[in-house]
Amino acid sequence: MSTINLHQHLWQLRGWRPYGWQLSLSMEMGRSLPPDFAAMTVNVPGSVQAALRANGHLPDWLLGTNSLACEWVEHRHWEFFTSITLPENFREVRFEAEQLDHSGWILVDGKIVDTFNGALTRHCFDLGGFMQPGKSHELGIVFDVTPAEQGQMGFTSRSTHFKPRFSYGWDWCPRFVPIGIGPGLRLLIDPPAMQVESVRTELSADLATGSIHLRTAAQSSSDALLLLTGPQGEKTEFRFRFEEGRSPTTIPIENPQLWWPNGEGEQPRYHVEVLSESGESLWSGDVGFKHIQWLPCMGAPDGAEPWICEVNGRPVFLQGVNWTPVSLDYLSDHRDDMHTLIGLYRDMGCNLLRVWGGAYLESQAFYQAADRAGLMVWQEFPLSSSGIDNWPPEDPSAIDRLELIATDFVRRRSHHASLLLWCGGNELQRGKESKAGIGYPADLAHPCLARLGKVVERESPGIRYLPTSASGPRFTAEETDFGKGLHHDVHGPWNISGTLDDWKRYWENDDALFRSETGMPGTMTAKQIEHYANGLCPWPPEENNLYWMLTCAWWRQWGEFQKTSEPQTLAAYCEWSRALQAEALQIAAKACKDSFPRCGGFLLWMGHDCFPCAANTAVIDITRQPKPAYDALSQVFKS
């Protein structure tokens, strides 16, 4: 087998009115129709929007209201294309793409040879019948218009495209819907007739024996080799056999070094490579060994889910942030930014990141960085609340698509030492009397969430699965209901209701077993706001101020600020907001941590910005400068 890394090829992009690329001759003019946007050189991986901005066709969408000037891109067809010369002799050509966002057509020499649909799963295309040995061919990827998905407001039960929803607009970012190609684009020439579908590790309860579990698929039985390189470079070989069809294989590892969360110990990792009998590399990656057991919180009511996380026999208070996308333009390469954020959360004292269900499966690079930093990962499947209707889809075809997505998620990431649990999605719930509304989290009685649980049970046994977060029996913790055993894993509050003394009293009496989302808004600095407003007037933050309404309408504290004796200026407003965020979050986090093991953990909503919101609940801004709340929380997390 040989591999052609298509990221190293010269790619170009051209843009068409829908289906213009399919019309070879104009009916009226009798000649070929040119594209609206002539060929331009682009980066792959990358988005159409990034290419257009680099070529002067789009403004900087982070400034002012410029994101509004980018929405037209969604209504065109966009064609990425490159030239490929194949070797003289081959039997099979397989085109693999880890992320094509969202749907469209695969072309060889201008002819459609296949289609694709779905931004969140890998795609594989057999091109052997369309390409000739030793010949040069043009490979094209044409993207259709973006689907009519819902942003933050809408109906979860009708959300069935499973394209990252945050990009259609959320309370911390405007609408900006990327189109394009993610990492992992390659041609495989004569690929082997066997593959490793998934890898995961396990550690015995006595911490003495580790296991590496492989799930393989082969057209016929054959021998194989697993090479294991230890943390100090020590090498061990294990011979095993690929059986015909799909089969499991377990490799025992005696006395492995233990992987610990940040603040609890080191993060030793073992490198695994699986080779075929002929020496072809079939899979490689780093793994680690940890043992997780979930225990009930002290004083928890009967029937409550366990929320004390015991790692390698040691109870650990789970503390961290909700991880949201690094950038609006998530298809482009943001690894440096991601590594910066991982380092900030490690230094903050976090040990857990919750990858929120309104986005996507986080990248291999993210998981590798989390493995190294000791940051455990709570990964959600692509479902989220919608405000009006928060009920997961019940349509059988939608559930089938979600099962395929979830299976691909689990197979791609289960080998990572940092993986802690899988979750069906964010804030999936109903009202007291109907599927609409909020207050009562969905559970395994829902066919969609039950199916996702079966995927985890089948593909990643031993890893915890939650149907949703908050997980119930109540969505939020109401002070009037403290002491009734109703608050297990809850979300909120995200702002102070009343005075700071009211906030302190709330947290002093809190009886929740776990806090997977709690926040408090805080602004950027006045200087940053003035810069990103890009000439728009940022003061005052009233409802008729377009800049504030586009970027952060939910998080204006204008009414509260007007009641203070502070000077009514942008600078004073920002200082007041940032100080209040820091004090409020420190009170909340400290109350939860002080009550451990009655409370199992505290996760901030949210960690960082992907857009320069003038104000929101992030504690790290778009320039990656921590707000005062970052230091306030760090004091608690490191105590």
Side-chain angles (χ1 to χ4, degrees):
M1 178 185 75
S2 61
T3 302
I4 299 176
N5 182 351
L6 294 178
H7 293 313
Q8 297 175 353
H9 276 235
L10 175 66
W11 284 86
Q12 292 184 287
L13 174 73
R14 51 194 169 214
W16 306 83
R17 300 177 194 184
Y19 299 102
W21 55 275
Q22 274 193 298
L23 188 63
S24 60
L25 294 175
S26 168
M27 299 288 287
E28 293 85 1
M29 303 298 292
R31 59 184 173 83
S32 296
L33 285 175
D36 284 5
F37 289 85
M40 61 192 87
T41 302
V42 297
N43 292 321
V44 172
S47 68
V48 170
Q49 286 89 339
L52 292 174
R53 181 180 170 191
N55 285 273
H57 300 303
L58 286 182
D60 183 349
W61 46 79
L62 298 183
L63 296 178
T65 58
N66 283 353
S67 65
L68 297 172
C70 301
E71 293 185 14
W72 63 268
V73 178
E74 303 170 36
H75 306 292
R76 294 290 199 276
H77 282 186
W78 298 97
E79 180 186 7
F80 290 79
F81 60 98
T82 190
S83 178
I84 295 171
T85 300
L86 297 178
E88 289 292 340
N89 297 297
F90 65 83
R91 299 181 306 276
E92 182 182 354
V93 180
R94 186 186 300 164
F95 176 30
E96 292 188 345
E98 291 196 12
Q99 187 176 25
L100 299 178
D101 196 345
H102 171 266
S103 63
W105 302 265
I106 303 299
L107 277 58
V108 173
D109 297 331
K111 296 182 180 179
I112 298 173
V113 299
D114 214 331
T115 61
F116 62 92
N117 190 301
L120 301 177
T121 54
R122 294 172 289 184
H123 297 281
C124 183
F125 312 95
D126 182 0
L127 302 185
F130 306 99
M131 292 183 162
Q132 301 300 314
K135 301 291 184 181
S136 180
H137 296 277
E138 183 180 275
L139 175 63
I141 307 171
V142 178
F143 289 90
D144 201 351
V145 298
T146 58
E149 187 52 276
Q150 304 167 83
Q152 186 173 18
M153 298 303 162
F155 303 83
T156 300
S157 60
R158 305 177 194 174
S159 179
T160 58
H161 293 291
F162 308 121
K163 178 173 166 64
R165 282 184 54 192
F166 85 97
S167 59
Y168 287 79
W170 225 262
D171 58 78
W172 34 269
C173 67
R175 181 185 179 107
F176 182 88
V177 185
I179 305 162
I181 302 170
L185 202 68
R186 55 190 166 265
L187 285 182
L188 301 183
I189 311 299
D190 294 333
M194 61 193 72
Q195 60 179 316
V196 177
E197 291 187 335
S198 66
V199 176
R200 62 183 179 86
T201 61
E202 188 177 6
L203 181 64
S204 61
D206 63 4
L207 313 182
T209 304
S211 300
I212 300 175
H213 300 286
L214 310 178
R215 181 163 293 171
T216 61
Q219 296 178 10
S220 59
S221 299
S222 64
D223 292 329
L225 180 69
L226 185 146
L227 300 179
L228 184 70
T229 303
Q232 281 72 50
E234 63 277 18
K235 298 182 182 297
T236 312
E237 296 185 0
F238 301 89
R239 297 193 176 276
F240 69 100
R241 189 165 179 80
F242 272 79
E243 300 297 341
E244 183 177 355
R246 284 184 165 84
S247 62
T249 297
T250 296
I251 307 292
I253 309 295
E254 294 302 320
N255 298 311
Q257 296 184 41
L258 305 185
W259 186 96
W260 289 94
N262 183 35
E264 302 292 334
E266 300 299 318
Q267 294 80 41
R269 296 172 306 285
Y270 292 74
H271 184 71
V272 173
E273 185 170 17
V274 180
L275 302 174
S276 69
E277 190 174 16
S278 59
E280 294 175 301
S281 180
L282 303 177
W283 190 91
S284 66
D286 289 346
V287 302
F289 296 90
K290 70 180 187 301
H291 183 269
I292 299 293
Q293 185 173 357
W294 293 93
L295 306 173
C297 292
M298 181 186 298
D302 292 342
E305 291 287 321
W307 278 109
I308 298 298
C309 183
E310 186 183 80
V311 185
N312 301 331
R314 182 188 304 167
V316 174
F317 183 77
L318 298 178
Q319 54 192 26
V321 304
N322 283 265
W323 176 280
T324 50
V326 169
S327 171
L328 290 181
D329 179 24
Y330 55 81
L331 291 170
S332 296
D333 188 350
H334 299 286
R335 281 175 293 181
D336 289 345
D337 194 14
M338 180 270 294
H339 284 296
T340 296
L341 288 168
I342 290 287
L344 283 168
Y345 293 133
R346 177 201 60 217
D347 295 345
M348 184 180 176
C350 297
N351 57 32
L352 178 61
L353 304 175
R354 173 182 172 238
V355 181
W356 170 74
Y360 41 75
L361 176 70
E362 259 302 345
S363 68
Q364 180 83 315
F366 165 87
Y367 272 84
Q368 290 169 340
D371 291 344
R372 293 190 293 269
L375 296 174
M376 296 186 289
V377 179
W378 164 333
Q379 174 73 58
E380 298 194 340
F381 295 126
L383 287 170
S384 182
S385 58
S386 301
I388 301 171
D389 160 345
N390 307 295
W391 196 244
E394 294 181 329
D395 175 64
S397 63
I399 296 175
D400 289 345
R401 290 197 299 276
L402 265 175
E403 180 179 16
L404 293 175
I405 292 170
T407 299
D408 200 40
F409 276 26
V410 176
R411 288 181 177 179
R412 292 160 79 176
R413 300 291 183 260
S414 282
H415 67 280
H416 285 283
S418 54
L419 180 66
L420 179 66
L421 63 84
W422 297 97
C423 180
N426 173 66
E427 298 182 350
L428 307 173
Q429 55 189 312
R430 60 176 176 82
K432 187 172 184 179
E433 304 298 337
S434 69
K435 296 174 183 176
I438 62 173
Y440 298 86
D443 55 29
L444 291 175
H446 192 289
C448 178
L449 301 182
R451 183 85 67 86
L452 296 177
K454 292 294 184 183
V455 169
V456 175
E457 182 182 343
R458 179 184 72 237
E459 301 289 339
S460 193
I463 298 294
R464 186 176 188 180
Y465 168 74
L466 289 175
T468 186
S469 179
S471 58
R474 293 287 181 86
F475 170 59
T476 59
E478 299 294 338
E479 189 172 9
T480 54
D481 285 330
F482 284 167
K484 298 179 182 179
L486 299 174
H487 307 135
H488 302 176
D489 164 32
V490 298
H491 283 192
W494 298 271
N495 207 337
I496 287 180
S497 177
T499 67
L500 193 60
D501 286 337
D502 294 330
W503 178 265
K504 291 177 180 176
R505 185 189 65 247
Y506 175 93
W507 289 102
E508 287 171 355
N509 296 314
D510 178 33
D511 68 345
L513 306 182
F514 197 85
R515 291 278 182 172
S516 51
E517 269 201 32
T518 292
M520 177 70 191
T523 69
M524 295 192 295
T525 65
K527 184 177 180 179
Q528 289 172 324
I529 290 174
E530 289 168 345
H531 168 73
Y532 285 106
N534 196 36
L536 296 175
C537 180
W539 186 257
E542 296 174 331
E543 290 185 6
N544 61 355
N545 188 315
L546 178 61
Y547 170 68
W548 281 84
M549 297 309 294
L550 180 71
T551 65
C552 54
W554 284 38
W555 304 114
R556 298 172 303 122
Q557 300 157 295
W558 179 227
E560 295 89 336
F561 181 67
Q562 286 179 299
K563 298 174 184 177
T564 71
S565 59
E566 299 289 336
Q568 298 295 290
T569 64
L570 178 62
Y573 173 60
C574 292
E575 289 300 316
W576 168 84
S577 171
R578 291 158 68 84
L580 182 61
Q581 182 190 38
E583 185 173 7
L585 290 178
Q586 188 174 64
I587 289 169
K590 187 176 186 303
C592 291
K593 191 165 186 178
D594 285 350
S595 69
F596 181 72
R598 293 185 179 277
C599 175
F602 177 93
L603 299 182
L604 171 72
W605 181 269
M606 50 192 239
H608 55 266
D609 275 328
C610 70
F611 178 81
C613 286
N616 67 2
T617 56
V619 296
I620 300 173
D621 67 35
I622 193 65
T623 69
R624 301 317 174 214
Q625 295 300 308
K627 298 177 184 178
Y630 172 96
D631 292 323
L633 285 170
S634 182
Q635 292 175 20
V636 176
F637 288 173
K638 290 184 173 181
S639 63

